[in-house]
Amino acid sequence: MAYNLKGRNLLTLKDFTKAEINYLLTLSEDLKAKKRAGIKGDSLEGKNIALIFEKPSTRTRCAFAVAAKDEGGMPEYLGKNDIQLGKKETVADTARVLGRMFDGIEFRGYEHQTVEILGKYAGVPVWNGLTDLYHPTQILADFLTLKENFGKLEGLNLVYTGDGRNNMANSLMVGSAIMGVNYTIVAPEELWPEEELVAECKELAAKSGAKIKLTADVKSGVKGADAIYTDVWVSMGEEAEFEKRIQLLKPYQVNMKMIEMTENPDLIFLHCLPAYHNTETENGQKIFKEYGLEEMEVTEEVFESKYSKVFDEAENRMHTIKAVMTATL
């Protein structure tokens, strides 16, 4: 069944119903199949898309750009030094200017309030490409990956381990609660999400049949998992927390011992990327040398194993973002 989402913002998955999210995922599957078959669309023909980036990105920027071009649209990258957003001009004024020139606006940055103001004043669809609180387009890609591997979402057991109060942990909890996915955060208590958000998600979960659980115990937390998800231990802007975070989260590293604890041979591993799984990157060499590490939130062994679906997941950013843009424009 098709849903009319024209003109809608995507600031958090709370903006959409379970049925609407399922529609976006079904549309993503269709667009992915067409992409694989070499069939290009024209649903964004004549549409100009503003891509605002306060934070750098590989997957989000490329996914929006390629998805727009595949459907005949024209993406315009606007870096933090390209426009006056929040500097010489208020966010609301920038939103009203860009809304007169562009048909849709993507924002990736720090404060969630910024994307909310853009959504309020732009007059065109605004999509959250990541804020400090939420990362909804990533969750759509994660859910598409889960569907591809298990044929369903409802009743799956998704476990997130690591920094349990970052934008990924928050967004996965929101999405799981809406879609009927059992969701467990395995993290030290001081890195659990805000109680208010947990309560809100438990209300959503009561409607979908999902179970939301928070625990500091790794063994009981991961047992029976269908998917284990992690993210970097220190988000952009929190670099001063590295040493403290590493000491806290060492027991929550995704390694083969944790994989075995799930007792599920069909388990998959997910990560939104980039991942500190070896010392080959410039940042990795610097960090690992300073703290005496060779790997961080996930081991190389797991990252390159049969369980890992991280590059399917990364590709799915493009297909799900394409679905969001075509559906809302």
Side-chain angles (χ1 to χ4, degrees):
M1 179 177 177
Y3 289 82
N4 184 3
L5 305 182
K6 188 173 181 179
R8 297 270 294 275
N9 296 328
L10 175 59
L11 309 184
T12 161
L13 286 182
K14 289 183 280 186
D15 296 339
F16 290 86
T17 66
K18 181 179 180 180
E20 289 169 341
I21 292 171
N22 270 323
Y23 166 65
L24 288 173
L25 293 174
T26 300
L27 179 57
S28 302
E29 291 170 331
D30 179 56
L31 291 168
K32 184 173 183 176
K34 288 178 178 175
K35 172 84 170 177
R36 294 263 170 109
I39 301 170
K40 289 195 174 186
D42 59 5
S43 62
L44 300 179
E45 190 73 40
K47 303 292 187 183
N48 292 291
I49 313 296
L51 306 179
I52 303 174
F53 282 80
E54 285 185 337
K55 285 184 177 181
S57 167
T58 298
R59 279 146 295 277
T60 303
R61 178 177 178 178
C62 296
F64 269 99
V66 174
K69 289 180 179 178
D70 276 356
E71 291 293 320
M74 179 64 70
E76 178 68 27
Y77 178 80
L78 301 170
K80 63 180 182 179
N81 297 319
D82 295 327
I83 56 176
Q84 302 295 343
L85 185 76
K87 300 173 188 173
K88 290 175 67 177
E89 184 171 57
T90 66
V91 175
D93 287 357
T94 300
R96 286 178 284 193
V97 170
L98 296 181
R100 299 289 184 100
M101 300 180 183
F102 290 93
D103 300 286
I105 300 170
E106 176 274 346
F107 173 80
R108 179 184 175 91
Y110 293 93
E111 294 185 14
H112 188 71
Q113 184 183 20
T114 303
V115 80
E116 290 181 332
I117 295 170
L118 287 170
K120 181 178 180 179
Y121 289 99
V124 297
V126 172
W127 313 294
N128 180 1
L130 176 141
T131 63
D132 286 345
L133 286 182
Y134 297 111
H135 197 0
T137 61
Q138 177 66 52
I139 308 311
L140 292 175
D142 301 337
F143 284 176
L144 179 58
T145 310
L146 287 171
K147 279 192 72 178
E148 289 173 340
N149 282 274
F150 298 103
K152 64 175 185 176
L153 288 177
E154 281 193 341
L156 290 180
N157 298 315
L158 173 61
V159 174
Y160 178 94
T161 180
D163 181 1
R165 35 101 267 174
N166 70 7
N167 50 21
M168 281 309 308
N170 288 344
S171 296
L172 285 166
M173 181 165 60
V174 171
S176 296
I178 294 170
M179 301 307 292
V181 176
N182 300 320
Y183 182 64
T184 301
I185 290 179
V186 181
E189 285 191 41
E190 63 189 271
L191 293 178
W192 285 4
E194 294 289 335
E195 290 182 9
E196 185 179 347
L197 180 62
V198 175
E200 186 179 1
C201 287
K202 285 186 175 180
E203 284 185 22
L204 291 169
K207 299 175 185 176
S208 70
K211 296 176 182 177
I212 305 295
K213 177 182 175 183
L214 281 68
T215 180
D217 183 70
V218 174
K219 188 172 182 179
S220 65
V222 304
K223 185 177 180 180
D226 293 301
I228 287 183
Y229 202 120
T230 194
D231 189 9
V232 293
W233 287 346
V234 180
S235 299
M236 280 182 276
E238 296 185 333
E239 287 76 11
E241 297 286 316
F242 251 116
E243 187 167 5
K244 178 183 176 184
R245 205 65 61 77
I246 287 168
Q247 297 308 316
L248 263 178
L249 292 175
K250 274 183 180 178
Y252 299 90
Q253 180 190 68
V254 181
N255 50 39
M256 279 301 176
K257 184 178 179 182
M258 182 183 286
I259 297 293
E260 290 165 6
M261 286 180 186
T262 68
E263 300 178 8
N264 181 4
D266 298 320
L267 171 89
I268 66 171
F269 168 71
L270 299 174
H271 193 304
C272 54
L273 302 181
Y276 286 116
H277 60 95
N278 57 38
T279 59
E280 292 179 9
T281 64
E282 183 180 336
N283 280 359
Q285 288 173 1
K286 180 182 176 182
I287 293 164
F288 295 149
K289 184 178 180 181
E290 186 173 347
Y291 298 107
L293 300 170
E294 292 184 358
E295 301 156 314
M296 202 174 296
E297 74 274 6
V298 58
T299 63
E300 178 83 351
E301 186 179 16
V302 171
F303 190 86
E304 298 293 353
S305 72
K306 66 178 183 179
Y307 304 105
S308 180
K309 304 298 179 182
V310 297
F311 296 110
D312 293 340
E313 184 186 6
E315 179 193 337
N316 283 339
R317 292 295 307 286
M318 174 177 61
H319 305 301
T320 48
I321 282 170
K322 188 184 295 184
V324 168
M325 288 195 294
T326 58
T328 57
L329 291 180

